[in-house]
Amino acid sequence: MKHLINRLIAIVALSLFPLVGQAQQYTGTSGLAHIPTGEMNHEGDALIGAHFLNKAMMPDTGFLYLGEKYHTFDYYLALTPFSWMEMSYVCTERRRAINEQTGQIQWSKDRYVSIKIQPLKEGKYYPAVAIGCNDVLTTVFFKDRPDVQLYYMNVYVAATKTFTFSGNELGMTVAYRRFLRGYNAKWNGIVGGITFRPSFFPQWRLMAEYTGNEFLLGTDVLLWQHLRLQASLKDFKYANVGLCLQFNLLGKKYRY
């Protein structure tokens, strides 16, 4: 029954949300649904968004309640101050104990900062290359403390090359990612994905990716130049959806 509900959510989401711009949207930084790319958001872009996270997308440690993983959500503020740098601040909701007086579940927040830098922009014969880190502050100051949990900490390098034919755009990404804590080791190593933008609606993107442990299909779209929507389906049965508002602080306008 749960699998049926997840499939129905995914079908509705994928049919309503043709595909969100170019954000790895649950962190606010550019990428596919769950892996980074060598591409960047536009200089001056500011994003405010939230994302529903299926429990199948969550780390195996730190997001357990009564011994079981649970669905949750996060929200973020992201900024691209320069064409070669992105950064975001993300809060993910965590269940804690039940309040004995009210009987309600208490929640706390896991907070982290992500930074992404692009040392090489895409050229005619070579890909765009980016390096990045999630939970960067904890990684720098507390990575050697075993009592500090780094649920989302990872470092990566990603390369993306796009090809255009008949006005359509095909993107190919290969990345290497490393999580510091062993409980996320299933997502370590070589990851990658492909994207497709049709010429008749370039704001719409289709994507397929391999995360190191599972496959994801996804779609996202930029509507009215400000509203980004995204939906993805992990292993063809676990749905994740998100949305954000995007504004360019430099007053620039882009198709996607």
Side-chain angles (χ1 to χ4, degrees):
M1 186 64 178
K2 291 182 179 179
H3 289 170
L4 177 60
I5 293 174
N6 281 330
R7 287 192 179 97
L8 290 174
I9 293 174
I11 291 172
V12 172
L14 291 172
S15 64
L16 291 177
F17 304 159
L19 211 148
V20 163
Q22 51 188 59
Q24 187 186 355
Q25 200 176 35
Y26 79 101
T27 68
T29 56
S30 54
L32 303 186
H34 198 249
I35 69 170
T37 64
E39 299 173 310
M40 304 288 282
N41 289 326
H42 303 112
E43 182 178 18
D45 278 357
L47 290 76
I48 302 174
H51 214 90
F52 165 77
L53 299 170
N54 192 290
K55 61 184 179 181
M57 289 280 287
M58 304 306 294
D60 293 333
T61 296
F63 290 87
L64 299 176
Y65 184 73
L66 299 180
E68 296 185 359
K69 295 173 71 172
Y70 53 87
H71 305 314
T72 187
F73 68 95
D74 70 6
Y75 48 94
Y76 59 83
L77 173 64
L79 180 65
T80 308
F82 309 104
S83 63
W84 49 270
M85 174 186 284
E86 296 176 5
M87 50 189 177
S88 65
Y89 177 72
V90 189
C91 293
T92 306
E93 292 293 320
R94 296 179 60 202
R95 288 185 183 182
R96 308 295 286 182
I98 295 178
N99 188 304
E100 295 182 356
Q101 295 180 345
T102 65
Q104 296 180 337
I105 296 175
Q106 294 179 317
W107 293 80
S108 65
K109 296 176 177 61
D110 179 74
R111 303 176 177 89
Y112 63 91
V113 173
S114 295
I115 292 181
K116 182 178 180 181
I117 294 174
Q118 186 187 59
L120 182 66
K121 295 185 180 298
E122 183 176 355
K124 184 176 181 180
Y125 300 109
Y126 51 86
V129 175
I131 57 176
C133 178
N134 286 342
D135 208 347
V136 62
L137 297 180
T138 308
T139 302
V140 172
F141 296 106
F142 303 107
K143 67 177 181 179
D144 296 325
R145 286 181 52 180
D147 60 312
V148 176
Q149 301 298 322
L150 303 176
Y151 301 118
Y152 288 96
M153 183 277 156
N154 67 86
V155 294
Y156 61 83
V157 56
T160 299
K161 188 74 179 77
T162 56
F163 304 90
T164 303
F165 57 96
S166 301
N168 303 296
E169 183 181 285
L170 177 69
M172 303 182 68
T173 293
V174 176
Y176 178 81
R177 179 170 56 186
R178 180 73 179 178
F179 283 83
L180 188 63
R181 296 293 193 250
Y183 46 73
N184 284 331
K186 62 183 180 181
W187 293 317
N188 285 345
I190 301 296
V191 299
I194 59 174
T195 61
F196 176 76
R197 293 183 186 275
S199 60
F200 62 87
F201 189 26
Q203 296 86 349
W204 177 28
R205 183 180 63 159
L206 298 171
M207 54 191 170
E209 62 187 277
Y210 174 65
T211 69
N213 185 67
E214 61 268 324
F215 290 94
L216 279 86
L217 298 177
T219 182
D220 56 18
V221 68
L222 177 64
L223 301 174
W224 307 296
Q225 296 186 335
H226 296 298
L227 179 62
R228 286 183 177 270
L229 306 172
Q230 186 179 73
S232 64
L233 192 61
K234 173 184 175 291
D235 284 340
F236 308 103
K237 55 184 176 182
Y238 302 113
N240 303 273
V241 295
L243 59 84
C244 77
L245 293 176
Q246 173 181 316
F247 299 92
N248 189 278
L249 302 181
L250 301 179
K252 299 180 180 179
K253 295 182 179 180
Y254 300 96
R255 292 188 303 168
Y256 56 86

